[in-house]
Amino acid sequence: MIGAPDVVAFTKEDDFGEVGYPNPWVVPEEFSVPLFPSNNNANPWAKTSYAKFTKDFILISEFSEQVGPQPLLTIPDDPKVFGTFDLNYFSLRIMSVDYQASFVGHPTGSGYPRLSFVEDSRVVLGDSKEGAFAYVHHLTLYDLEARGFVRPFCMAYVSADERKIMLQFQELSLLFSRASECLKTGNRRAFARELQRKLRDLEYTRSVLQKEEGLQREAGPQGCYSARAVDKANELAAMEKSIYEHRDLLRQITSYPLRPRRDPHAAHCQHCVTESQRHRDAPPGPDRDTGEEAGQRRQSYTPQLIKGKSAKCFAKRLKNLTELCEERFYEATVELLNHTERCFRGDLCYLYTRRLDRALRRKQNITNFLFEEELGEEEEEVAVLGRIFCSLNHTVGTDSHIHTPSIVLCPEPPESVEVLEVNPPCPDNSAQQSEALTGEERLESSLSDLTMETQDQESSEENKDSFSSDRSGGEEEEEGREGGDQTPVFLLEAEEGGEGETHRVCEREGEAEGGAETEEGGAETEEGGAETEEGDGQRVPDPELLVQMDTACCMSQEGFLYNSSPPDTLPASGLQPGSLPLPLVVNQEPQALLPVQGDYGLGSPHCPSPGAGLDLPVSSSGDTTSRGSDQDGWDCTMSASTGSERAGSPLGYGGLVTLRQKKRAGQGALRFVRQYPFALHALWSLLSGRTLVVLGSEEGRVRRLVSALALYVPGPGRCGERVQPWLSCPFSLTDLQRWKLIGLQRMASPVGTSMLCSLSRYSRYISVLDADRKTLRCPGYRGTLLANVADHRTRLRRGSTYFLHLQNVLSRLASRAFLLSFTHHLHLPISHLEQRQEVEERTRGFLRDQLRLGEDDCSILMYLSQLITQHYLDSTSGGAVTTQPHLEKDNTPGTTQQDLEANNILDPATGGAVNQQDPESNTGGRVNTGQYLDPTTGGAITPETGVEPTTGGAITPETGVEPTTGGAITPETDVEPTTGGAITPETGVEPTTGGAITPETGVEPTTGGAITPEQYLDPTTGGAITPEQYLDPTIHQSATRSRAPPSFTFNYTTSLLYKI
Amino acid sequence: MLRWILGGREAQGSVEKNPVLFIGEEQPKNWFTELQVLKGHFDIVRFLVQIDDFRFASAGDDGLVLVWNVETGERLLELRGHSQQITAMTAYTHTSGENTHTSLITASSDRTLSLWDPETGNRVQTVSDLQSSVKCLLVLERLCVWVSGGNELCVWNRDFQLQCQSHLVSQGISATVELPKNCIAASCILYEPLCCPCISSEPRLTMSTGSRLSVAEVRRLSDHQDSIHALININDGLFASGSHVGELILWDAVDWTIMAYEHILWEESQTDTQAEIRLAAPKPSEMSIQQLTSDGELMVAAVGSGLYVYSVITKSVVAYRKTAHDSNVLHTMLLPDGGLMSCSEDGSVRIWEMQDLLLPAEPASAGFFGMWTFGRSNKQAGPPVKKVLELPSLRTLELTGDLIGHSGAVQMFVSFGEKGLVTCSTDHLLIAWKNRERESHLRSLALFRKLEENGGL
């Protein structure tokens, strides 16, 4: 028997104790890693568990009222994942800790059944015997046929590592809540639709009954009622009651989003609330549909005659998960879960490292563009995914209008006919099906036939139809547990990462990148050498799909009808019966969808969808959701690469430079460093901003070299816009300022000659690496900074290790460059008398004495600092103005966007988000995220021009900078209006930056000392950085870029020729 | 040619014809360390005119006039209106009270003249259907009029009303300079090759009673043997003209007499070995004086592909370099620090420094060119006496830097002092050359200003 599962308590201590100035030496919270419990010096890497599964997975289980707890689905959907782990047993365990106590039935004083609005519950439980631990998320879905209208489900994250689950509880809870919310929303829509159908049926039946009763009354003797007439009257009364009950249920379910939520994790959406408010104000009136004109009726649901009493048909087949939830929501849920699984792939150590990395990078927003890939990460992705289902909610309204005309009740694909034919038990149904196959125009005319048939079905249902029951006999079980009101087990802070997330311009790209990255992350941790490609795995169909459907049960038939019909059966129409035409439903038989025995793949309701080719390829193609998402990612990169920057670098990476690419490039870079002793100089060229041309006749070799060297290009752009992997025409001067790394084809033709001409002509601006002769011509490097990234005797053997090492060195460089860029006294005159030359001298002194850098190393830092300055000037200008609309747009997708989506994006679920982002990315945002040296966008604000108006415009720069020339407003006094004459850099700075940069005052040369700037970096950047400020590189910049052309800087340095 | 790719570092100079001129990539005195490519023209850019201390206009064969901000590189305005190539452009500054307002006057091959307001981009005035296209423009601020020279010499007032015109010569006027006593010197390009004597005529503007202006030819100075390519004012008392065959004449601006006469031959007198190599007498194009520039004391003549620095005060050669460029020098400029800048058809701009000759016995200068000096008195005297140069005053032109960026002939450049230099070229591009240190300093200032605006990071 089942023992009591050991429920692990989870509590989170609140650290509200200490308020006050944080100790600068304490690591900020986001960088902290819980210490490994150091009891008895345990090896932290020792495999402590003896779980039978190798990887974490997500398990969805149901407590079926017929068969009890049963596993439904695992994510990833690969039997290899859970191996010999007993899913049935584990389902039993996790479903038996259902904390929900849902209330069902008729509460006292109320005549109608009430729906229980059950909040999710979250528990962590473990099975020490199995070595499995799980975060279990219980949720309840509504099903009209289920007992108490509820079906308890749970989603569990199963892992062998208890600590991992405990420590990641909040994240898990957040992600699962989103998925649950998505699933429940779809379920509510499906439920409402089902209710409406049922109401239609009831009303139709009532009308039939009334007619019959009238007939009988007429037929019978006056004044006295026959027994049959009394029966009819009773039946009618029961029908009336049933109608009222169902109306009330419909009212309850449509007002669902308005109820107060106790679950802090539930994803809120204002739009949902208002929408449902609207629906409530216009109360659901199913009657209104009945009186509508024929044309509308044609497209609407055909009511069927049903039995009056809402019989509990135990023999019937319960709806499976895909039927319980609208298809798109279901797929979005699965996508969310897939994403969740990806997010938590890897062991705790890896997760922490990644989190630290993210936290650090978030701190370094200003310098990230240099070497880090953009923060297109999970939270980002979650934000997007979180919006997916919300936008699902809202796009449907417009969808329906667009899709309605195109709805064709096309014949079933032949397979389903076969299915029908091999399905002997219901000959009449198959006949009906074949009718439906012949053409939908017969639908209207065959209405009476249908009702007759359904009458037959009703009767058979009454008799608890034998053939269906024997088919599904194994599933007959006692009813599932009834849910009631419950309290969430763990109260967690709501939405910690979701809403306040930065809204990046190219969120979809970010998402794609993030997805790829997590995949990569899994590979990098050696966790899955044979990593399964999620996109390729065919999802194992729901076990429920294999269940023989109760053909006689009208409700389930409806369910199937609904599910198999394309998205013309729209949730909104379910909620809005009067205003939207109900979609025309093929009155096909459920057998059409029944899986052939042994052919699981057919069980997917996607396959025979008549809407295939009409719309929503994701939902109608047999693909798994994850592949859909992969395709989305691909589409998104494609669209990104065909964006405006495509013109800028026609042969660029053609998409985002993902971390995976970068790590692969790490191997190439390591090989380069080990192979060429002069690699150092080439790296210096790249890092100091001198364009490196890789010359070679063999394209593959050149491309490999370029992609390896691209790692060293500072600020390569999101899509590597500053890298040109293969160029086969002579380049011009403008190419030099566009590209920092060029792969050039060596040709023997006249074109080649002119190309070499341009090479030699611009030789002072470029370094040339000859891949064929293995020579390098560039200025020599005599610094020390790069010594340990370009040591050709390095002991590093693995490309990813080298990549991380390189990232380390580069981010160190970037932080120094940040310091250089944002330290005031290095750029602003300390006293009025100081000239530019003296300031520059001070800067040089800072680099030389404080940072202890040589000349060549200085040029690296100067270049990086220049890029940072440029990036800052470009990205922030007007950002505050322009980001705001984006934020609003993203949060509440407007109707215009929806129209746009509905027109050209086939899947509103995932595609919607893509499309929303695309216009933004096409504005050139990703091209010019500060890549182009836009010399003085703020040039109009340069001191000279500031001075000119007052003094007549004849002022030379020096006098402009020189404040002693009179009453003119000088830049210094502009910057520091308060302190008057004696301006020290510190005072000049502090009021402006609010003390965020105060640590730099410690670096002031006068204080001297051996201050290493890195010490000060954290507090420096840890100020009040609002990411939004820096995240809008697009709009303003694209406006100014056309006006202020880029510039590039260079040195007059003699090049040397290096050979192996 | 591309030996450096094969391995020879010093072979870099192989691009240059003259290895002596190869400066290499180490140019410590060259402070143009940042460049900005300004795109906008669709054809050869020929003219650059400075409007004020940060704006300039460019014009060329595409008929477009573009106004730029040299500090940011922004294209401020696009002045469209001419249907054919621009043949002349000048800035027209008039002062009304406190305000000085600068306009642009452009002349085009479509035989129109236009006045533009560089603030708004409006075409303020336009004159079309001229009898001939205008080749040169001259603003006489003193008289508040301006002069256009084409086949005829026209005088216009500020409101584009024709004051008077005169058919001075049969050939078109190619250059004009303002002289004292309301005189203008106009030089003509010789169209008929047979008519050898070249004409330098001096029309005088006479201010009659009222505001009526008239123009009349005063004297014709026919001392050049060939067509005059260059004509400049040196100072109040002198002007100079240079001809196709290398004659350089200094004129007295008041009484129009010859102050000095130089004939630049670029003669290679280091005979023996060189003589065999020398094919023939120097081609006239090698001696053609393309352009003259002067700061009042020194005068620079662009002679063929060489440079020739002449001291107006001592009336003697100061420095010269026969092959300063690989091709014809198109524009020169004297730098305030005593340097010299030149641009050429070879696509490069070179910066020169005049250095005292270290070794007086340096043979290279011994007879690079012959020179005849004529006094005013003995102008018509007998055969010219070849004067052996006395070297003490002679200095050398040392290349201190070159700017390489254009892929076509650099037509012209205009300097904004510390803010940089703008070059225009036949490759349809303009390039702004700047000082990286200064620019990055300005950017840093902008950064901190923005930081302040944003209220911190």
Side-chain angles (χ1 to χ4, degrees):
Chain A
M1 284 304 292
I2 312 161
D6 30 46
V7 180
V8 187
F10 179 85
T11 52
K12 176 182 184 288
E13 311 100 34
D14 309 359
D15 307 283
F16 294 119
E18 327 159 351
V19 183
Y21 194 75
N23 183 355
W25 301 108
V26 167
V27 183
E29 205 217 339
E30 62 265 34
F31 299 135
S32 66
V33 173
L35 291 175
F36 188 79
S38 62
N39 41 359
N40 57 43
N41 285 336
N43 177 9
W45 285 276
K47 189 172 165 66
T48 53
S49 79
Y50 33 88
K52 290 174 180 158
F53 52 92
T54 53
K55 283 172 72 174
D56 297 355
F57 63 95
I58 293 173
L59 171 68
I60 301 179
S61 304
E62 181 200 0
F63 202 122
S64 162
E65 59 191 57
Q66 291 173 341
V67 299
Q70 59 172 354
L72 300 181
L73 178 68
T74 60
I75 293 170
D77 203 357
D78 184 2
K80 268 189 295 184
V81 170
F82 47 88
T84 58
F85 186 63
D86 190 351
L87 289 182
N88 277 306
Y89 175 73
F90 200 72
S91 297
L92 187 66
R93 306 225 22 171
I94 57 179
M95 286 311 285
S96 53
V97 241
D98 189 357
Y99 275 63
Q100 308 176 108
S102 52
F103 174 76
V104 171
H106 302 241
T108 50
S110 154
Y112 305 133
R114 297 208 50 89
L115 283 180
S116 54
F117 294 137
V118 185
E119 304 284 357
D120 298 353
S121 73
R122 305 162 180 86
V123 292
V124 176
L125 63 86
D127 187 335
S128 39
K129 192 155 65 81
E130 291 278 326
F133 297 86
Y135 163 88
V136 188
H137 194 105
H138 292 283
L139 69 154
T140 317
L141 298 182
Y142 298 113
D143 184 355
L144 201 47
E145 298 140 56
R147 185 176 162 192
F149 307 117
V150 288
R151 304 257 307 264
F153 285 87
C154 85
M155 300 183 288
Y157 186 86
V158 187
S159 168
D161 187 358
E162 180 186 355
R163 267 171 58 81
K164 177 174 172 183
I165 288 184
M166 293 305 285
L167 294 169
Q168 304 288 320
F169 183 86
Q170 299 197 18
E171 290 82 356
L172 280 168
S173 170
L174 178 72
L175 289 169
F176 274 95
S177 296
R178 288 180 188 279
S180 158
E181 204 58 35
C182 187
L183 192 64
K184 287 195 293 186
T185 309
N187 169 250
R188 280 197 303 274
R189 289 177 176 277
F191 186 63
R193 175 180 311 278
E194 196 182 347
L195 271 174
Q196 282 178 331
R197 298 254 171 82
K198 182 73 179 287
L199 272 172
R200 289 281 195 83
D201 293 345
L202 287 171
E203 279 158 7
Y204 178 73
T205 314
R206 181 179 62 179
S207 68
V208 172
L209 280 177
Q210 274 170 341
K211 211 184 298 171
E212 284 176 3
E213 194 208 14
L215 282 174
Q216 286 201 343
R217 213 181 307 165
E218 281 170 19
Q222 291 293 325
C224 69
Y225 300 104
S226 66
R228 290 192 62 180
V230 171
D231 274 354
K232 278 293 170 199
N234 285 340
E235 209 175 327
L236 199 57
M239 193 61 65
E240 294 283 351
K241 180 163 180 287
S242 179
I243 287 175
Y244 281 118
E245 283 178 3
H246 281 86
R247 280 193 186 153
D248 191 61
L249 283 177
L250 185 60
R251 184 191 54 78
Q252 291 179 47
I253 197 73
T254 48
S255 64
Y256 175 86
L258 296 175
R259 86 207 188 286
R261 304 296 299 270
R262 272 164 306 173
D263 186 357
H265 266 268
H268 295 287
C269 171
Q270 193 53 40
H271 196 92
C272 297
V273 174
T274 52
E275 190 181 68
S276 57
Q277 255 163 353
R278 212 171 55 234
H279 292 318
R280 195 181 55 168
D281 295 344
D287 322 61
R288 279 187 283 164
D289 276 321
T290 56
E292 295 197 272
E293 60 273 5
Q296 195 114 19
R297 276 191 68 107
R298 211 188 125 79
Q299 298 219 331
S300 64
Y301 171 68
T302 312
Q304 300 178 5
L305 199 59
I306 59 167
K307 203 180 79 61
K309 276 178 273 183
S310 58
K312 296 259 189 285
C313 45
F314 288 101
K316 71 176 185 285
R317 173 196 165 278
L318 285 173
K319 289 199 196 68
N320 63 25
L321 202 51
T322 45
E323 296 165 82
L324 280 174
C325 180
E326 284 196 357
E327 189 172 348
R328 279 172 300 164
F329 286 88
Y330 176 75
E331 292 186 352
T333 307
V334 174
E335 188 182 343
L336 273 166
L337 289 177
N338 270 313
H339 160 74
T340 307
E341 192 271 330
R342 280 199 303 270
C343 269
F344 291 97
R345 213 175 270 182
D347 65 354
L348 200 54
C349 167
Y350 173 72
L351 291 177
Y352 276 130
T353 316
R354 216 177 43 181
R355 201 180 72 196
L356 281 187
D357 178 50
R358 267 206 311 278
L360 276 167
R361 267 188 287 160
R362 214 174 292 123
K363 291 286 184 203
Q364 299 173 346
N365 244 318
I366 292 182
T367 55
N368 273 341
F369 76 100
L370 283 177
F371 299 111
E372 308 283 345
E373 74 279 9
E374 296 278 336
L375 265 172
E377 300 273 322
E378 289 89 60
E379 312 97 281
E380 204 72 45
E381 194 174 351
V382 167
V384 173
L385 286 174
R387 271 199 301 278
I388 286 177
F389 83 91
C390 201
S391 63
L392 267 179
N393 280 329
H394 311 315
T395 48
V396 279
T398 42
D399 262 354
S400 67
H401 294 300
I402 285 157
H403 290 305
T404 326
S406 65
I407 289 171
V408 181
L409 295 171
C410 48
E412 284 300 298
E415 305 95 80
S416 56
V417 180
E418 290 166 22
V419 171
L420 279 178
E421 285 161 3
V422 298
N423 198 6
C426 348
D428 50 349
N429 283 344
S430 61
Q432 180 189 342
Q433 174 64 31
S434 58
E435 269 184 14
L437 287 177
T438 54
E440 68 282 3
E441 69 275 359
R442 296 197 49 191
L443 189 69
E444 201 66 33
S445 60
S446 66
L447 185 64
S448 58
D449 301 340
L450 289 177
T451 50
M452 286 315 287
E453 282 166 4
T454 48
Q455 259 179 317
D456 293 342
Q457 289 172 16
E458 290 312 310
S459 60
S460 63
E461 189 196 357
E462 261 181 337
N463 300 334
K464 296 213 184 316
D465 178 35
S466 62
F467 53 76
S468 67
S469 63
D470 67 13
R471 274 280 186 107
S472 59
E475 297 177 47
E476 280 183 348
E477 281 269 341
E478 73 279 2
E479 297 167 13
R481 306 167 56 101
E482 295 177 353
D485 276 354
Q486 53 92 44
T487 50
V489 179
F490 304 110
L491 285 178
L492 301 161
E493 48 195 54
E495 305 280 331
E496 55 168 318
E499 303 295 312
E501 206 41 63
T502 58
H503 290 269
R504 208 167 283 269
V505 176
C506 309
E507 252 158 340
R508 281 303 290 186
E509 284 86 3
E511 182 196 344
E513 185 183 357
E517 188 206 329
T518 51
E519 227 173 309
E520 172 71 11
E524 283 299 316
T525 46
E526 261 81 54
E527 177 201 20
E531 190 178 343
T532 59
E533 286 289 326
E534 291 94 340
D536 295 337
Q538 180 74 279
R539 186 172 358 109
V540 171
D542 239 342
E544 275 199 359
L545 278 174
L546 306 178
V547 171
Q548 174 61 47
M549 172 178 283
D550 184 352
T551 54
C553 183
C554 173
M555 299 303 283
S556 63
Q557 178 183 343
E558 277 176 39
F560 256 111
L561 289 183
Y562 160 58
N563 268 322
S564 59
S565 56
D568 55 326
T569 61
L570 288 162
S573 60
L575 290 174
Q576 222 172 354
S579 56
L580 285 172
L582 273 183
L584 178 60
V585 176
V586 191
N587 194 4
Q588 69 192 36
E589 285 306 301
Q591 280 78 9
L593 300 169
L594 284 179
V596 184
Q597 301 291 344
D599 187 0
Y600 293 175
L602 265 178
S604 163
H606 312 297
C607 303
S609 166
L614 286 182
D615 41 17
L616 300 199
V618 170
S619 60
S620 55
S621 73
D623 279 344
T624 63
T625 330
S626 55
R627 178 189 285 183
S629 73
D630 284 353
Q631 282 171 343
D632 286 341
W634 172 246
D635 283 346
C636 149
T637 38
M638 281 309 285
S639 69
S641 59
T642 51
S644 53
E645 82 285 349
R646 187 70 167 168
S649 63
L651 295 174
Y653 272 115
L656 286 172
V657 188
T658 61
L659 191 64
R660 177 192 287 254
Q661 280 172 309
K662 282 193 167 187
K663 287 189 176 172
R664 202 177 299 135
Q667 187 61 46
L670 181 62
R671 201 177 300 129
F672 174 75
V673 164
R674 293 167 66 92
Q675 185 178 359
Y676 296 91
F678 50 72
L680 189 65
H681 311 287
L683 304 196
W684 183 57
S685 284
L686 288 171
L687 284 169
S688 59
R690 188 173 169 120
T691 299
L692 179 68
V693 176
V694 181
L695 184 68
S697 47
E698 187 190 330
E699 178 169 357
R701 182 193 287 173
V702 171
R703 278 185 181 273
R704 270 195 303 277
L705 268 176
V706 167
S707 64
L709 289 169
L711 284 183
Y712 305 95
V713 177
R718 280 184 70 98
C719 300
E721 296 90 357
R722 312 220 63 183
V723 176
Q724 170 60 276
W726 185 244
L727 183 71
S728 48
C729 55
F731 61 89
S732 67
L733 191 65
T734 47
D735 296 337
L736 288 184
Q737 64 190 19
R738 185 165 46 169
W739 296 319
K740 286 297 167 195
L741 177 60
I742 303 177
L744 190 65
Q745 183 180 13
R746 183 200 297 275
M747 285 182 293
S749 63
V751 185
T753 317
S754 74
M755 184 182 304
L756 295 185
C757 273
S758 61
L759 266 189
S760 65
R761 177 161 194 86
Y762 298 124
S763 63
R764 67 175 54 176
Y765 307 126
I766 55 176
S767 302
V768 180
L769 175 67
D770 192 325
D772 299 334
R773 299 192 178 89
K774 301 207 186 320
T775 59
L776 173 73
R777 183 189 171 279
C778 72
Y781 173 70
R782 291 173 303 275
T784 54
L785 274 182
L786 302 181
N788 60 352
V789 291
D791 179 11
H792 78 280
R793 289 180 296 270
T794 177
R795 300 272 175 95
L796 297 178
R797 286 295 181 271
R798 292 175 54 91
S800 54
T801 317
Y802 178 73
F803 172 75
L804 293 175
H805 169 61
L806 179 67
Q807 285 289 97
N808 178 22
V809 172
L810 292 181
S811 63
R812 203 175 143 93
L813 275 181
S815 56
R816 288 184 182 194
F818 174 83
L819 190 67
L820 177 62
S821 309
F822 284 87
T823 306
H824 296 74
H825 71 271
L826 298 182
H827 302 286
L828 299 178
I830 288 176
S831 76
H832 288 299
L833 299 173
E834 225 174 30
Q835 300 284 332
R836 171 167 65 88
Q837 282 73 16
E838 296 167 45
V839 178
E840 279 165 10
E841 189 52 47
R842 192 161 56 233
T843 308
R844 271 189 291 274
F846 168 78
L847 290 171
R848 188 181 55 237
D849 301 334
Q850 309 268 301
L851 299 187
R852 301 182 185 285
L853 296 178
E855 182 108 346
D856 292 348
D857 293 331
C858 286
S859 70
I860 296 178
L861 277 197
M862 299 288 254
Y863 176 65
L864 296 183
S865 160
Q866 187 192 340
L867 286 181
I868 291 171
T869 305
Q870 205 67 60
H871 187 76
Y872 183 78
L873 286 177
D874 291 348
S875 60
T876 333
S877 53
V881 187
T882 47
T883 14
Q884 208 48 44
H886 290 303
L887 289 174
E888 287 166 3
K889 239 191 233 172
D890 286 345
N891 286 336
T892 61
T895 48
T896 53
Q897 273 183 319
Q898 290 164 11
D899 289 341
L900 194 71
E901 278 167 20
N903 278 331
N904 47 17
I905 286 288
L906 296 171
D907 180 18
T910 50
V914 177
N915 204 20
Q916 282 178 24
Q917 310 305 332
D918 271 349
E920 295 166 15
S921 63
N922 285 341
T923 55
R926 287 182 304 101
V927 205
N928 46 17
T929 39
Q931 311 313 330
Y932 293 104
L933 307 180
D934 178 10
T936 24
T937 350
I941 324 172
T942 53
E944 292 79 16
T945 51
V947 174
E948 271 160 19
T950 56
T951 50
I955 291 181
T956 60
E958 281 81 6
T959 58
V961 181
E962 178 60 62
T964 57
T965 50
I969 299 172
T970 61
E972 293 80 11
T973 52
D974 275 349
V975 170
E976 168 48 37
T978 54
T979 56
I983 299 177
T984 60
E986 295 81 19
T987 58
V989 169
E990 279 163 11
T992 68
T993 55
I997 306 199
T998 41
E1000 271 113 16
T1001 58
V1003 193
E1004 187 193 5
T1006 57
T1007 62
I1011 299 172
T1012 60
E1014 284 80 2
Q1015 290 176 340
Y1016 293 91
L1017 277 180
D1018 285 346
T1020 314
T1021 49
I1025 300 180
T1026 55
E1028 285 84 2
Q1029 276 187 327
Y1030 302 99
L1031 285 181
D1032 180 41
T1034 52
I1035 307 290
H1036 183 90
Q1037 202 185 358
S1038 59
T1040 54
R1041 189 184 54 147
S1042 60
R1043 308 191 65 192
S1047 63
F1048 78 92
T1049 59
F1050 46 89
N1051 284 316
Y1052 294 105
T1053 342
T1054 308
S1055 295
L1056 307 171
L1057 190 86
Y1058 297 96
K1059 299 176 191 170
I1060 285 191
Chain B
M1 170 171 179
L2 299 157
R3 265 178 19 230
W4 63 268
I5 289 182
L6 309 176
R9 174 196 149 200
E10 66 289 340
Q12 171 63 24
S14 62
V15 181
E16 325 278 348
K17 278 184 203 164
N18 187 349
V20 177
L21 279 179
F22 172 60
I23 177 172
E25 293 172 351
E26 197 90 42
Q27 301 177 8
K29 289 178 181 171
N30 187 353
W31 53 268
F32 295 102
T33 45
E34 177 169 329
L35 71 82
Q36 194 172 21
V37 178
L38 313 180
K39 287 193 232 180
H41 282 285
F42 306 106
D43 209 335
I44 299 175
V45 192
R46 294 188 187 274
F47 302 102
L48 293 173
V49 166
Q50 187 169 353
I51 296 171
D52 48 30
D53 65 345
F54 72 102
R55 286 183 302 170
F56 67 95
S58 64
D61 288 1
D62 53 3
L64 276 180
V65 181
L66 303 179
V67 180
W68 305 83
N69 181 344
V70 72
E71 288 167 351
T72 63
E74 284 174 283
R75 185 164 72 208
L76 301 173
L77 288 173
E78 204 164 299
L79 312 179
R80 292 175 181 270
H82 288 299
S83 60
Q84 290 184 40
Q85 63 197 50
I86 308 278
T87 53
M89 176 166 71
T90 187
Y92 180 30
T93 306
H94 61 267
T95 313
S96 59
E98 292 286 305
N99 307 329
T100 50
H101 188 260
T102 303
S103 310
L104 283 174
I105 302 174
T106 54
S108 163
S109 293
D110 59 4
R111 292 188 296 172
T112 55
L113 282 167
S114 295
L115 180 74
W116 307 86
D117 184 356
E119 307 292 332
T120 63
N122 291 333
R123 192 176 188 173
V124 182
Q125 300 277 0
T126 183
V127 179
S128 55
D129 298 331
L130 297 173
Q131 290 168 0
S132 63
S133 64
V134 171
K135 296 285 191 300
C136 60
L137 294 165
L138 175 67
V139 174
L140 304 176
E141 287 186 36
R142 211 159 25 91
L143 299 175
C144 287
V145 294
W146 53 279
V147 178
S148 69
N151 283 349
E152 59 276 324
L153 191 68
C154 303
V155 181
W156 311 78
N157 71 359
R158 191 188 304 163
D159 301 321
F160 266 58
Q161 286 156 342
L162 183 63
Q163 301 295 302
C164 51
Q165 65 173 336
S166 141
H167 294 272
L168 297 163
V169 288
S170 57
Q171 294 87 16
I173 295 170
S174 64
T176 49
V177 290
E178 182 184 7
L179 298 179
K181 292 194 289 185
N182 292 351
C183 286
I184 305 167
S187 69
C188 303
I189 284 186
L190 192 66
Y191 288 131
E192 302 103 55
L194 294 178
C195 184
C196 282
C198 186
I199 304 150
S200 174
S201 55
E202 303 211 5
R204 183 194 293 267
L205 288 171
T206 49
M207 191 85 75
S208 59
T209 57
S211 62
R212 189 82 191 131
L213 282 174
S214 65
V215 59
E217 182 176 330
V218 178
R219 187 185 296 184
R220 201 171 274 222
L221 308 171
S222 320
D223 296 293
H224 276 294
Q225 306 296 311
D226 205 336
S227 57
I228 299 168
H229 285 311
L231 179 67
I232 57 156
N233 253 334
I234 293 172
N235 51 32
D236 285 345
L238 286 173
F239 70 98
S241 60
S243 80
H244 186 64
V245 291
E247 302 159 301
L248 180 63
I249 302 181
L250 249 63
W251 306 87
D252 188 301
V254 181
D255 54 8
W256 316 310
T257 52
I258 293 179
M259 299 292 289
Y261 178 92
E262 302 275 346
H263 194 179
I264 302 164
L265 283 180
W266 291 138
E267 187 183 4
E268 302 269 352
S269 65
Q270 267 199 326
T271 53
D272 298 331
T273 56
Q274 299 260 333
E276 297 145 19
I277 301 168
R278 230 177 74 210
L279 296 174
K283 282 178 287 185
S285 69
E286 288 183 12
M287 302 179 296
S288 163
I289 296 179
Q290 313 284 340
Q291 198 251 354
L292 291 171
T293 183
S294 169
D295 62 354
E297 295 177 2
L298 292 177
M299 178 170 65
V300 180
V303 185
S305 58
L307 290 171
Y308 180 95
V309 184
Y310 188 82
S311 168
V312 177
I313 295 164
T314 63
K315 298 200 172 43
S316 61
V317 177
V318 176
Y320 62 89
R321 190 176 269 277
K322 188 198 168 191
T323 50
H325 280 275
D326 298 330
S327 188
N328 278 346
V329 177
L330 296 178
H331 193 80
T332 57
M333 186 180 67
L334 279 162
L335 299 175
D337 59 355
L340 179 65
M341 203 181 278
S342 62
C343 67
S344 154
E345 286 174 357
D346 63 6
S348 66
V349 177
R350 289 189 172 163
I351 306 163
W352 307 87
E353 195 176 71
M354 268 178 276
Q355 291 173 345
D356 288 328
L357 211 56
L358 296 177
L359 299 170
E362 177 72 41
S365 59
F368 257 43
F369 58 90
M371 170 180 290
W372 292 264
T373 302
F374 299 92
R376 284 169 61 189
S377 52
N378 59 357
K379 191 174 66 178
Q380 283 85 20
V385 177
K386 184 162 181 177
K387 177 187 172 189
V388 176
L389 276 176
E390 295 305 320
L391 293 176
S393 65
L394 198 62
R395 295 191 285 176
T396 58
L397 281 177
E398 285 301 320
L399 186 61
T400 58
D402 57 348
L403 308 180
I404 291 180
H406 285 293
S407 53
V410 181
Q411 295 286 338
M412 195 178 177
F413 54 81
V414 59
S415 170
F416 286 85
E418 202 190 20
K419 285 180 189 169
L421 175 86
V422 180
T423 56
C424 67
S425 160
T426 50
D427 60 4
H428 314 176
L429 296 179
L430 289 91
I431 296 183
W433 304 84
K434 298 176 178 180
N435 186 350
R436 181 184 58 189
E437 276 83 25
R438 181 177 180 276
E439 295 302 314
S440 79
H441 178 66
L442 292 178
R443 279 190 286 264
S444 291
L445 291 184
L447 178 133
F448 285 109
R449 184 175 293 263
K450 175 165 252 164
L451 204 60
E452 184 193 17
E453 283 168 4
N454 291 343
L457 281 171

